[in-house]
Amino acid sequence: MRLIGLVLALSLALAPLAAEAQQKGKVYRIGLLSIATVTYIDAFRQGLRDLGYVEGRTIVIEYREAQSYERLPELAKELVGLKPDIIVSAGGSLVARAVKAVTSTIPVVFLASDVVAGGLVASLSRPDGNLTGLEIVTTQLDAKRLEILKEALPTITKVALLWNPGAAAYNASNLADQRRGMEAAAQALGVRLGMLEARDRREIDTVFRTIQREDPGALLVGSDAIFTSGRQRIVELATQLRIPSMYGWREFVEVGGFMSYGTSCVPARVLRSDPGGEGDERAHP
């Protein structure tokens, strides 16, 4: 999978705007909606500058951060009300679905998973409608992450799985399927899976008090934007408890996490068209 797809999609969408902006001197508006603080917002801005879009002169970025799934519809509607020329959706398919629900005309560029099954686009080759972007593999790799964790720590018999039940209200069927798949994978590996819930960053400390009390052999952190934005605290607490943890994004390892396995999505690489941002990886400290 080439992650440059998202930037190409955004570049193609903005190309006509840039030409018109140069002719008329008009400032165009980009809406950016995320579930939580995205790690690549600075690189996103720099990438636009590298492409010739100057914030405050040729473009204005309207950034909205939901911090919970419940606020997504409200903020998506707010962004659409600003009449942006394009909306960028970051943080998963639920963010993109919130935008899709309130506009069928504004071009939307997403970074998400399960885009066909989740109803974002008709197909990968012919998305149709006003949405385009990049599909990434995240939660589908959780069973593989568990397998690698067991390979690295063959004596573990219980693994805590940190997940966000806040997404269940919006994608219950898919989450149920993922949970069944994880339980089947754990059974095949001879591991008991303990589900721990955190709906926002404030609940992370509570989860780790449970981990300290129950003392599982390892921790698997779900690929949720809330957890990614709170990765510094998660890694800090895991280190204090000396519990080996597996993550879905390399950013956790970069702040001291034990290991990660997943799609590489380093913004600088994406914006530079670096082929190193392709495929799966294992990252270690």
Side-chain angles (χ1 to χ4, degrees):
M1 177 198 318
R2 291 191 176 275
L3 297 181
I4 189 62
L6 176 66
V7 177
L8 286 177
L10 183 58
S11 299
L12 290 172
L14 288 176
L17 304 183
E20 190 175 345
Q22 290 175 357
Q23 295 172 3
K24 299 182 179 181
K26 180 178 177 179
V27 177
Y28 285 87
R29 193 177 301 272
I30 300 174
L32 175 58
L33 179 62
S34 172
I35 185 65
T37 304
V38 289
T39 60
Y40 49 81
I41 182 63
D42 291 336
F44 175 75
R45 286 190 165 106
Q46 182 59 54
L48 289 174
R49 286 194 291 270
D50 291 344
L51 292 170
Y53 306 106
V54 182
E55 195 169 358
R57 289 177 54 192
T58 57
I59 60 169
V60 170
I61 299 176
E62 298 284 357
Y63 179 45
R64 297 295 185 275
E65 177 183 311
Q67 283 296 332
S68 69
Y69 292 109
E70 289 77 12
R71 291 200 66 210
L72 283 174
E74 167 197 346
L75 293 182
K77 186 176 181 179
E78 181 180 319
L79 271 181
V80 169
L82 296 175
K83 297 183 173 22
D85 297 283
I86 187 171
I87 295 177
V88 177
S89 160
S93 58
L94 298 183
V95 182
R97 284 171 59 184
V99 178
K100 182 179 181 179
V102 291
T103 181
S104 59
T105 56
I106 298 173
V108 178
V109 179
F110 58 76
L111 179 65
S113 60
D114 299 321
V115 297
V116 177
L120 287 181
V121 297
S123 73
L124 294 179
S125 58
R126 305 179 75 85
D128 298 330
N130 61 316
L131 276 76
T132 188
L134 176 67
E135 178 173 46
I136 58 174
V137 177
T138 54
T139 55
Q140 299 93 325
L141 293 177
D142 279 339
K144 184 64 177 179
R145 294 181 184 116
L146 183 61
E147 179 185 333
I148 295 172
L149 197 53
K150 177 67 172 178
E151 180 183 333
L153 305 163
T155 62
I156 59 173
T157 58
K158 183 177 181 180
V159 174
L161 172 61
L162 178 60
W163 72 296
N164 183 353
Y170 302 92
N171 206 5
S173 176
N174 191 32
L175 285 174
D177 289 342
Q178 291 171 14
R179 180 166 183 168
R180 283 192 292 268
M182 285 297 296
E183 289 172 345
Q187 185 176 5
L189 293 168
V191 171
R192 288 184 296 123
L193 203 60
M195 308 290 286
L196 299 177
E197 302 179 356
R199 295 176 181 272
D200 55 44
R201 292 173 61 177
R202 293 172 299 179
E203 295 184 355
I204 289 174
D205 283 57
T206 302
V207 165
F208 273 89
R209 285 195 290 271
T210 302
I211 290 174
Q212 184 176 23
R213 183 174 63 252
E214 297 185 355
D215 193 26
L219 171 67
L220 175 59
V221 177
S223 299
D224 190 281
I226 295 293
F227 302 150
T228 304
S229 68
R231 64 192 179 280
Q232 188 76 52
R233 183 58 175 164
I234 291 174
V235 170
E236 176 186 329
L237 291 170
T239 301
Q240 288 176 7
L241 295 183
R242 301 179 64 84
I243 180 169
S245 305
M246 165 67 82
Y247 308 98
W249 301 103
R250 64 183 294 160
E251 284 85 357
F252 285 87
V253 173
E254 290 172 352
V255 295
F258 179 56
M259 69 168 72
S260 71
Y261 179 83
T263 304
S264 176
C265 191
V266 180
R269 287 183 176 177
V270 174
L271 296 170
R272 290 197 301 266
S273 307
D274 187 337
E278 177 180 350
D280 295 327
E281 67 174 31
R282 298 190 198 190
H284 300 271

